[in-house]
Amino acid sequence: MSTMGQRTMGLWRRARRSDHPCAIVAGAVNLLLGCVLLSMAIGGPFFEATTRAQETSAQELAFRVFGCWLVGGLVLFLALGMTRTAVVHLLTLFLPPALMILALLAL
């Protein structure tokens, strides 16, 4: 095996071994980012829009960042073989907004 192949396999093995700690960090970062993006999308604190165009622009940016973060994280984690981190990534991005929507509908 070539030196480059050995380095690549070593990196892949280290990534797989660090799956559990990375899942915790990814979950915490996703929860924080999700709160910021939700606040941006609904015009919460620090994101008050004065015109309809600013509100639409903030919503589009929030959804674009969310989509890129979702796809980029999934591609990265699955390419590195970090299944637990990929599952935590999906759960922490979709579960909190879904629970908030269900809570609002229940009111």
Side-chain angles (χ1 to χ4, degrees), residues 22-104:
C22 285
I24 294 169
V25 171
V29 169
N30 284 345
L31 288 175
L32 291 173
L33 181 68
C35 291
V36 170
L37 292 177
L38 181 64
S39 180
M40 185 186 290
I42 64 173
F46 307 111
F47 298 106
E48 293 97 9
T50 54
T51 65
R52 180 69 180 144
Q54 288 176 337
E55 184 178 329
T56 303
S57 176
Q59 288 173 349
E60 289 174 357
L61 178 62
F63 291 130
R64 196 172 328 128
V65 169
F66 180 83
C68 291
W69 189 261
L70 173 70
V71 171
L74 279 178
V75 168
L76 175 69
F77 298 140
L78 292 176
L80 290 174
M82 301 171 82
T83 350
R84 178 180 292 151
T85 306
V87 169
V88 167
H89 179 68
L90 280 175
L91 286 176
T92 55
L93 282 179
F94 285 117
L95 199 57
L99 292 175
M100 284 190 276
I101 290 170
L102 287 175
L104 289 174

